[in-house]
Each structure stands twice: as C-alpha cells, then as structure tokens.
Amino acid sequence: MDLEKYITVNYDILYQAAKNITKGGSLTDDLFQHCIEVLLVDKDIEKIQSLIDKNQLHYYFTAIMIRNYHSSTSRFHNIYRKGSDMISDKDVYQVDIPEEEFDALKEAKISFIEEEIKKLDWYSREMVKLYFYEGLSFRKISELTNIPKTSCWNTIQDIKNKINNTKNGC
C-alpha cells in the first residue's frame, strides 16, 4: 500500500488523533492538513513505506502532530498559532471612559485605519476586504483565490504591522 492509499484508508483514524491532540479545538483541521503535507513531502520514502508495511505509520504520524502542535518553534506554530497568541482575555482591561470620549476615540481610530487601507496596493486592499469586511477565514480566501493560505495570513499580518508601525510613528 502506498502513502496516499494509506491516508485515504486511515483518514478517520488519523483525523481523530488530530482531534484528540487539539482537544477538538479550532486548529484541528489546520494541524491535520499541515501534518499530512509534512508526510507527503517527506524525502525518506523508504522509511515511510517501511512504517506502512509494519503498520506503524499511525504512531509516526501522531508523533509528528504532537511535536508540531506543542512546539513553539515548529512551522505549524509560526503559521497557525503565533497570530492567535497576540491577544488573550487577560489582556483586556475594563477602563471607565466617558461615552462621548470613547466614541470620539473609536471614530478617530476607524478613520485612521480607513485612510491607511486606502494607501495599500490593490492586492492588500482585496485581502483586507475579504478577511475583515467579509469575515472570511484564511482557508476560505485560499479556496476562493487559489492563493496559499500562508500567503493570505502573511499579507494580513504585514498589513497589521504596517498600520501599527504607522500609528506608533505618529
């Protein structure tokens, strides 16, 4: 049995392992697909085939998923987790600001961001439109545009950084 057939036959079992590792979290699909890609591009085809023949590829694949999911230096972490680590509930503080000051501050920020978006190239503006205004996920944007998901994510991160740097430079 070759690798593609092994994945097809054992898809549900392998996916369940990803679900167990992420505890059913939102990164289950991303982890699973990322690690399938890792397996498919593995250069040591003989080792993979040997594991399939010994019925041990499931353990090897699970180890790959565990390492990728829990490591803060893995490619998976840098692509899928790093961006979501930026904000957590403990970072949100309740501040009493009079409503009219809050509204004025909010309007100023919105105006600033809208002006910065107008300065972006057409590609970046389209990414902003799809991600922020239409609320599409990176996966959905990738499916619609045939642009790799990581490129979509990188573009959005670059835009956020550019706007933050411009704001902080004022």
Side-chain angles (χ1 to χ4, degrees):
M1 176 182 316
D2 69 347
L3 180 57
E4 283 95 17
K5 182 165 177 123
Y6 180 87
I7 292 170
T8 303
V9 169
N10 294 287
Y11 187 90
D12 292 336
I13 294 166
L14 298 173
Y15 184 79
Q16 186 60 46
K19 208 172 187 181
N20 292 342
I21 292 165
T22 63
K23 297 183 174 94
S26 61
L27 292 175
T28 301
D29 290 339
D30 295 323
L31 176 66
F32 184 66
Q33 294 302 322
H34 176 80
C35 293
I36 291 286
E37 179 184 348
V38 168
L39 261 187
L40 291 172
V41 298
D42 193 327
K43 302 289 186 231
D44 195 350
I45 297 169
E46 291 174 5
K47 175 179 78 175
I48 299 292
Q49 189 59 52
S50 171
L51 290 169
I52 291 171
D53 294 341
K54 294 176 187 174
N55 201 22
Q56 295 177 343
L57 186 62
H58 174 76
Y59 304 111
Y60 180 73
F61 183 70
T62 303
I64 291 172
M65 288 193 295
I66 290 169
R67 272 187 252 121
N68 274 277
Y69 187 72
H70 292 291
S71 171
S72 62
T73 59
S74 70
R75 186 168 167 256
F76 174 80
H77 177 80
N78 289 329
I79 295 170
Y80 299 101
R81 296 186 79 174
K82 202 170 193 177
S84 65
D85 291 345
M86 293 190 304
I87 299 175
S88 68
D89 292 338
K90 66 182 177 187
D91 295 329
V92 179
Y93 299 97
Q94 183 73 30
V95 179
D96 290 328
I97 299 176
E99 193 170 323
E100 59 276 355
E101 285 181 39
F102 179 76
D103 288 342
L105 181 62
K106 186 171 147 184
E107 287 299 318
K109 284 182 178 182
I110 290 171
S111 295
F112 172 78
I113 292 171
E114 286 175 344
E115 288 303 313
E116 291 303 310
I117 290 171
K118 287 179 187 176
K119 295 176 188 176
L120 297 172
D121 59 89
W122 69 269
Y123 174 80
S124 298
R125 283 193 310 271
E126 286 300 311
M127 282 295 178
V128 166
K129 177 183 160 195
L130 294 171
Y131 184 72
F132 290 106
Y133 293 113
E134 293 185 21
L136 300 178
S137 67
F138 295 120
R139 176 177 288 135
K140 191 65 175 172
I141 294 170
S142 178
E143 289 171 5
L144 291 173
T145 63
N146 288 327
I147 297 169
K149 186 168 40 172
T150 53
S151 295
C152 298
W153 185 87
N154 288 334
T155 300
I156 294 298
Q157 293 308 310
D158 290 345
I159 293 167
K160 287 178 179 180
N161 291 336
K162 182 178 181 182
I163 290 174
N164 280 331
N165 291 338
T166 304
K167 177 183 73 170
N168 295 332
C170 294

PDB file of all heavy atoms in Angstrom, residues 127-138:
ATOM      1  N   MET A 127      -7.367  41.741   0.127  1.00  0.00           N
ATOM      2  CA  MET A 127      -7.217  40.844   1.283  1.00  0.00           C
ATOM      3  C   MET A 127      -7.945  41.416   2.497  1.00  0.00           C
ATOM      4  O   MET A 127      -8.620  40.689   3.222  1.00  0.00           O
ATOM      5  CB  MET A 127      -5.740  40.628   1.628  1.00  0.00           C
ATOM      6  CG  MET A 127      -5.061  39.659   0.735  1.00  0.00           C
ATOM      7  SD  MET A 127      -5.768  38.012   0.947  1.00  0.00           S
ATOM      8  CE  MET A 127      -4.829  37.144  -0.246  1.00  0.00           C
ATOM      9  N   VAL A 128      -7.799  42.718   2.725  1.00  0.00           N
ATOM     10  CA  VAL A 128      -8.495  43.376   3.833  1.00  0.00           C
ATOM     11  C   VAL A 128      -9.999  43.220   3.657  1.00  0.00           C
ATOM     12  O   VAL A 128     -10.713  42.877   4.601  1.00  0.00           O
ATOM     13  CB  VAL A 128      -8.109  44.874   3.923  1.00  0.00           C
ATOM     14  CG1 VAL A 128      -9.062  45.641   4.824  1.00  0.00           C
ATOM     15  CG2 VAL A 128      -6.673  45.022   4.408  1.00  0.00           C
ATOM     16  N   LYS A 129     -10.466  43.448   2.451  1.00  0.00           N
ATOM     17  CA  LYS A 129     -11.903  43.327   2.163  1.00  0.00           C
ATOM     18  C   LYS A 129     -12.404  41.922   2.489  1.00  0.00           C
ATOM     19  O   LYS A 129     -13.408  41.747   3.187  1.00  0.00           O
ATOM     20  CB  LYS A 129     -12.162  43.672   0.705  1.00  0.00           C
ATOM     21  CG  LYS A 129     -13.591  43.521   0.270  1.00  0.00           C
ATOM     22  CD  LYS A 129     -13.715  43.818  -1.217  1.00  0.00           C
ATOM     23  CE  LYS A 129     -14.980  43.217  -1.757  1.00  0.00           C
ATOM     24  NZ  LYS A 129     -14.992  43.161  -3.214  1.00  0.00           N
ATOM     25  N   LEU A 130     -11.685  40.909   1.990  1.00  0.00           N
ATOM     26  CA  LEU A 130     -12.128  39.528   2.194  1.00  0.00           C
ATOM     27  C   LEU A 130     -12.035  39.098   3.656  1.00  0.00           C
ATOM     28  O   LEU A 130     -12.943  38.450   4.179  1.00  0.00           O
ATOM     29  CB  LEU A 130     -11.296  38.576   1.328  1.00  0.00           C
ATOM     30  CG  LEU A 130     -11.463  38.709  -0.178  1.00  0.00           C
ATOM     31  CD1 LEU A 130     -10.426  37.875  -0.916  1.00  0.00           C
ATOM     32  CD2 LEU A 130     -12.868  38.320  -0.598  1.00  0.00           C
ATOM     33  N   TYR A 131     -10.937  39.460   4.318  1.00  0.00           N
ATOM     34  CA  TYR A 131     -10.708  38.985   5.680  1.00  0.00           C
ATOM     35  C   TYR A 131     -11.493  39.787   6.720  1.00  0.00           C
ATOM     36  O   TYR A 131     -12.199  39.227   7.550  1.00  0.00           O
ATOM     37  CB  TYR A 131      -9.212  39.021   6.003  1.00  0.00           C
ATOM     38  CG  TYR A 131      -8.894  38.452   7.361  1.00  0.00           C
ATOM     39  CD1 TYR A 131      -8.968  37.086   7.597  1.00  0.00           C
ATOM     40  CD2 TYR A 131      -8.536  39.282   8.422  1.00  0.00           C
ATOM     41  CE1 TYR A 131      -8.680  36.554   8.840  1.00  0.00           C
ATOM     42  CE2 TYR A 131      -8.250  38.755   9.669  1.00  0.00           C
ATOM     43  CZ  TYR A 131      -8.324  37.400   9.872  1.00  0.00           C
ATOM     44  OH  TYR A 131      -8.051  36.883  11.110  1.00  0.00           O
ATOM     45  N   PHE A 132     -11.393  41.110   6.669  1.00  0.00           N
ATOM     46  CA  PHE A 132     -12.006  41.930   7.715  1.00  0.00           C
ATOM     47  C   PHE A 132     -13.456  42.296   7.419  1.00  0.00           C
ATOM     48  O   PHE A 132     -14.307  42.232   8.297  1.00  0.00           O
ATOM     49  CB  PHE A 132     -11.193  43.213   7.942  1.00  0.00           C
ATOM     50  CG  PHE A 132      -9.866  42.958   8.586  1.00  0.00           C
ATOM     51  CD1 PHE A 132      -8.700  43.035   7.861  1.00  0.00           C
ATOM     52  CD2 PHE A 132      -9.789  42.616   9.931  1.00  0.00           C
ATOM     53  CE1 PHE A 132      -7.470  42.791   8.453  1.00  0.00           C
ATOM     54  CE2 PHE A 132      -8.571  42.374  10.535  1.00  0.00           C
ATOM     55  CZ  PHE A 132      -7.410  42.462   9.800  1.00  0.00           C
ATOM     56  N   TYR A 133     -13.745  42.701   6.188  1.00  0.00           N
ATOM     57  CA  TYR A 133     -15.093  43.167   5.890  1.00  0.00           C
ATOM     58  C   TYR A 133     -16.067  42.036   5.596  1.00  0.00           C
ATOM     59  O   TYR A 133     -17.215  42.082   6.000  1.00  0.00           O
ATOM     60  CB  TYR A 133     -15.073  44.176   4.736  1.00  0.00           C
ATOM     61  CG  TYR A 133     -14.372  45.460   5.102  1.00  0.00           C
ATOM     62  CD1 TYR A 133     -13.178  45.830   4.506  1.00  0.00           C
ATOM     63  CD2 TYR A 133     -14.899  46.300   6.078  1.00  0.00           C
ATOM     64  CE1 TYR A 133     -12.531  47.001   4.859  1.00  0.00           C
ATOM     65  CE2 TYR A 133     -14.257  47.473   6.434  1.00  0.00           C
ATOM     66  CZ  TYR A 133     -13.073  47.821   5.827  1.00  0.00           C
ATOM     67  OH  TYR A 133     -12.439  48.969   6.186  1.00  0.00           O
ATOM     68  N   GLU A 134     -15.593  40.999   4.881  1.00  0.00           N
ATOM     69  CA  GLU A 134     -16.468  39.870   4.573  1.00  0.00           C
ATOM     70  C   GLU A 134     -16.346  38.755   5.601  1.00  0.00           C
ATOM     71  O   GLU A 134     -17.132  37.818   5.601  1.00  0.00           O
ATOM     72  CB  GLU A 134     -16.181  39.344   3.172  1.00  0.00           C
ATOM     73  CG  GLU A 134     -16.569  40.369   2.102  1.00  0.00           C
ATOM     74  CD  GLU A 134     -16.422  39.839   0.693  1.00  0.00           C
ATOM     75  OE1 GLU A 134     -16.418  38.599   0.508  1.00  0.00           O
ATOM     76  OE2 GLU A 134     -16.326  40.671  -0.221  1.00  0.00           O
ATOM     77  N   GLY A 135     -15.333  38.845   6.471  1.00  0.00           N
ATOM     78  CA  GLY A 135     -15.180  37.885   7.570  1.00  0.00           C
ATOM     79  C   GLY A 135     -14.800  36.473   7.136  1.00  0.00           C
ATOM     80  O   GLY A 135     -15.099  35.512   7.836  1.00  0.00           O
ATOM     81  N   LEU A 136     -14.119  36.340   6.008  1.00  0.00           N
ATOM     82  CA  LEU A 136     -13.735  35.019   5.525  1.00  0.00           C
ATOM     83  C   LEU A 136     -12.480  34.536   6.250  1.00  0.00           C
ATOM     84  O   LEU A 136     -11.614  35.318   6.602  1.00  0.00           O
ATOM     85  CB  LEU A 136     -13.464  35.054   4.017  1.00  0.00           C
ATOM     86  CG  LEU A 136     -14.628  35.476   3.128  1.00  0.00           C
ATOM     87  CD1 LEU A 136     -14.198  35.500   1.669  1.00  0.00           C
ATOM     88  CD2 LEU A 136     -15.814  34.544   3.308  1.00  0.00           C
ATOM     89  N   SER A 137     -12.382  33.241   6.436  1.00  0.00           N
ATOM     90  CA  SER A 137     -11.191  32.642   7.049  1.00  0.00           C
ATOM     91  C   SER A 137     -10.083  32.585   6.002  1.00  0.00           C
ATOM     92  O   SER A 137     -10.331  32.697   4.800  1.00  0.00           O
ATOM     93  CB  SER A 137     -11.501  31.237   7.552  1.00  0.00           C
ATOM     94  OG  SER A 137     -11.764  30.382   6.452  1.00  0.00           O
ATOM     95  N   PHE A 138      -8.853  32.377   6.473  1.00  0.00           N
ATOM     96  CA  PHE A 138      -7.735  32.238   5.543  1.00  0.00           C
ATOM     97  C   PHE A 138      -7.959  31.046   4.613  1.00  0.00           C
ATOM     98  O   PHE A 138      -7.623  31.100   3.429  1.00  0.00           O
ATOM     99  CB  PHE A 138      -6.408  32.091   6.294  1.00  0.00           C
ATOM    100  CG  PHE A 138      -6.036  33.326   7.073  1.00  0.00           C
ATOM    101  CD1 PHE A 138      -5.873  33.271   8.442  1.00  0.00           C
ATOM    102  CD2 PHE A 138      -5.852  34.540   6.446  1.00  0.00           C
ATOM    103  CE1 PHE A 138      -5.535  34.397   9.164  1.00  0.00           C
ATOM    104  CE2 PHE A 138      -5.512  35.679   7.150  1.00  0.00           C
ATOM    105  CZ  PHE A 138      -5.356  35.612   8.512  1.00  0.00           C
TER     106      PHE A 138
END
